[in-house]
Amino acid sequence: MSGVIQVGIVGRPSTGKSYSIRNLDPKTTFIITPNKKDLPFRGSAAKYQFLSKKSPKGNRGYCKLLAAVEDEDGKILQKGLIDWIKYVNEKRPEIKTIVIEDITHFFHARTQEISFRKSKDWGKWGDFAADVLNAIIDPDLYRDGVRVVHIYHSEVVEQAGEQISRIMTQGKALNNKILPSSYYTYMLHTKVLHTDEADDPAEQFWFITNPYDGHDCKSSYGCFPLLVKNDLNSVLDKIEKYRSDESPEE
């Protein structure tokens, strides 16, 4: 199917964001992560190995930067996120799903750099917002037909007297400059049932798919019920089926 499916997953730590990866096919999935922590599901180390000389077909890439670091001659000293995406686009045709984990950590890495913190030039925030757009959100980054999942931490802010849970951003730059959530048709938030409601993790972790209880969620009309199981493979398959369905709206 033509086009790129982009899905945002938003939630607090330990609410099932990375756990939702567990049922994706590792043969056709590539994960880009700003840290090397274990993925929180059984067999993850065998299913997802970091790309290296020893593992040239590894399906997990490590990267801390949005934009590459180059020397004066333009030689790349350290790869940025966009370089990893280009690698998957050009060198890994078998990859159908790209997951960018912990995007908020990319934000932190940028804004906590010594040079960034010491700079008194407010234009740095505009540059930061542009890098986020160019390295993460721009759909033209990805080859046609790929499914992209962006995983974010959440924050609670007050808007018009209401508490809203949304993508965590640094300062006001991203929301004022590009408003990340506006680039998504599908923005799902995590929801965890209390342990007395569900003892099995598979029944405890869910996604909220539409605006509810202050969560800045959204999805196409009729694609999902309000709550769906915390399973990215099922979510992406459902979106693909919805997009190809030629039935008229009720």
Side-chain angles (χ1 to χ4, degrees), residues 232-248:
L232 277 176
N233 189 59
S234 176
V235 165
L236 293 169
D237 285 350
K238 182 72 173 179
I239 292 172
E240 287 187 335
K241 183 177 180 180
Y242 178 93
R243 293 177 73 218
S244 63
D245 188 355
E246 297 181 357
S247 302

Side-chain angles (χ1 to χ4, degrees), residues 2-104:
S2 62
V4 175
I5 294 175
Q6 284 194 151
V7 177
I9 301 296
V10 186
R12 293 178 291 104
S14 303
T15 57
K17 299 187 301 298
S18 297
Y19 178 64
S20 67
I21 295 171
R22 67 194 181 281
N23 289 328
L24 290 172
D25 182 358
K27 295 179 180 179
T28 59
T29 300
F30 197 97
I31 300 173
I32 307 171
T33 177
N35 54 61
K36 294 185 178 181
K37 68 181 183 181
D38 287 343
L39 295 170
F41 49 87
R42 189 184 301 276
S44 62
K47 293 177 179 178
Y48 293 97
Q49 298 181 6
F50 283 99
L51 182 70
S52 66
K53 290 182 179 179
K54 292 183 179 180
S55 300
K57 282 297 182 180
N59 53 357
R60 197 176 180 196
Y62 171 63
C63 170
K64 294 194 297 183
L65 304 176
L66 291 170
V69 175
E70 300 180 350
D71 63 17
E72 295 179 353
D73 298 322
K75 180 181 179 181
I76 294 179
L77 302 177
Q78 190 172 355
K79 287 183 178 180
L81 179 56
I82 194 170
D83 298 300
W84 279 101
I85 295 170
K86 287 181 177 178
Y87 161 76
V88 176
N89 283 341
E90 297 171 4
K91 305 295 184 181
R92 302 295 292 272
E94 80 278 13
I95 297 300
K96 180 180 179 182
T97 304
I98 300 173
V99 179
I100 304 179
E101 255 207 311
D102 289 337
I103 289 178
T104 309

Side-chain angles (χ1 to χ4, degrees), residues 124-144:
K124 64 185 181 182
W125 290 105
D127 293 339
F128 169 53
D131 281 344
V132 171
L133 176 62
N134 294 332
I136 298 174
I137 298 174
D138 184 357
D140 290 338
L141 277 170
Y142 308 98
R143 69 168 180 263
D144 196 44

Side-chain angles (χ1 to χ4, degrees), residues 114-132:
I114 293 177
S115 60
F116 190 95
R117 288 189 286 114
K118 287 187 174 182
S119 173
K120 296 181 180 180
D121 180 5
W122 285 100
K124 64 185 181 182
W125 290 105
D127 293 339
F128 169 53
D131 281 344
V132 171

Side-chain angles (χ1 to χ4, degrees), residues 179-199:
L179 189 59
S181 63
S182 67
Y183 287 83
Y184 296 89
T185 301
Y186 299 91
M187 179 70 70
L188 312 185
H189 281 236
T190 57
K191 180 176 178 58
V192 184
L193 299 181
H194 296 298
T195 53
D196 59 348
E197 296 177 275
D199 294 326

